Amino acid sequence: MIYPIVKYGDPVLEKPAAPITTFDDELRKLADDMFESMYAAHGVGLAAPQIGISKRIAVIDVTFKEDPNGKIVLVNPEIVHTEGKLTSTEGCLSLPEFRENVTRPRKVTARAQDLNGKTIEVTGEELLARALIHETDHLNGKLYISHISALKRDMIKRKVRKLIKQGEW
Ligand code: NI
């Protein structure tokens, strides 16, 4: 099932999501639906709050279907190690049409659980590092625009308000 993507302005995006304690078929179905919704929206990462579900699960595929092993599911993730810095443009499916330069660690390790509840660690560099940290941020109610200047953030907020008024958001 393809879910519509929740856009910036919806409070679900700015509250911490609830930990997942049950690892069952329902959770597996949610992960499948999240991949489907992410691919349909042409994204490389998606967190459950972005489909209106305030639970700590995110999916990532920075290869966008190129590599069948590129699919990553993170349940209850936390960032346990970061290294270096890299500034690159970043976007978010919940803020369509906007992109900004964001400085992130170059290398990131996330500890999470898989769909069976087993603890896993995923380490990524560059785009994968960015995705690991961006999606974990989502589960803490944080969007990438909290990492840009207040001036740029206010500009985006103003544009979004205008789009909402025009019924185009
Ligand atoms: Ni995002």
Side-chain angles (χ1 to χ4, degrees), residues 64-90:
F64 202 84
K65 299 194 249 192
E66 284 286 306
D67 178 356
N69 298 316
K71 287 169 84 177
I72 297 169
V73 180
L74 302 170
V75 179
N76 302 321
E78 49 180 332
I79 303 301
V80 291
H81 185 74
T82 64
E83 250 179 77
K85 269 183 184 178
L86 185 69
T87 303
S88 180
T89 57
E90 191 165 323

Side-chain angles (χ1 to χ4, degrees), residues 58 77 81 89 113 119 124-125 138 143 162 164 167:
H81 185 74
T89 57
Q113 285 167 284
T119 299
E125 297 186 37
H138 267 302
L143 297 162
K162 197 171 162 197
I164 291 172

Side-chain angles (χ1 to χ4, degrees), residues 63-161:
T63 79
F64 202 84
K65 299 194 249 192
E66 284 286 306
D67 178 356
N69 298 316
K71 287 169 84 177
I72 297 169
V73 180
L74 302 170
V75 179
N76 302 321
E78 49 180 332
I79 303 301
V80 291
H81 185 74
T82 64
E83 250 179 77
K85 269 183 184 178
L86 185 69
T87 303
S88 180
T89 57
E90 191 165 323
C92 178
L93 292 176
S94 294
L95 277 154
E97 312 298 326
F98 294 101
R99 288 190 81 76
E100 291 292 338
N101 274 325
V102 183
T103 303
R104 299 282 200 180
R106 198 187 58 79
K107 191 175 175 185
V108 167
T109 300
R111 185 177 298 149
Q113 285 167 284
D114 67 11
L115 288 170
N116 299 311
K118 197 180 117 212
T119 299
I120 53 164
E121 276 195 3
V122 183
T123 298
E125 297 186 37
E126 301 182 14
L127 181 58
L128 180 54
R130 192 166 290 272
L132 291 169
I133 212 160
H134 178 116
E135 301 313 327
T136 303
D137 267 359
H138 267 302
L139 302 180
N140 293 322
K142 211 165 168 186
L143 297 162
Y144 80 88
I145 54 169
S146 65
H147 298 288
I148 63 176
S149 72
L151 194 74
K152 283 184 177 165
R153 185 165 52 247
D154 287 346
M155 208 168 72
I156 291 177
K157 284 184 181 176
R158 265 204 307 279
K159 283 185 187 162
V160 168
R161 268 199 296 273

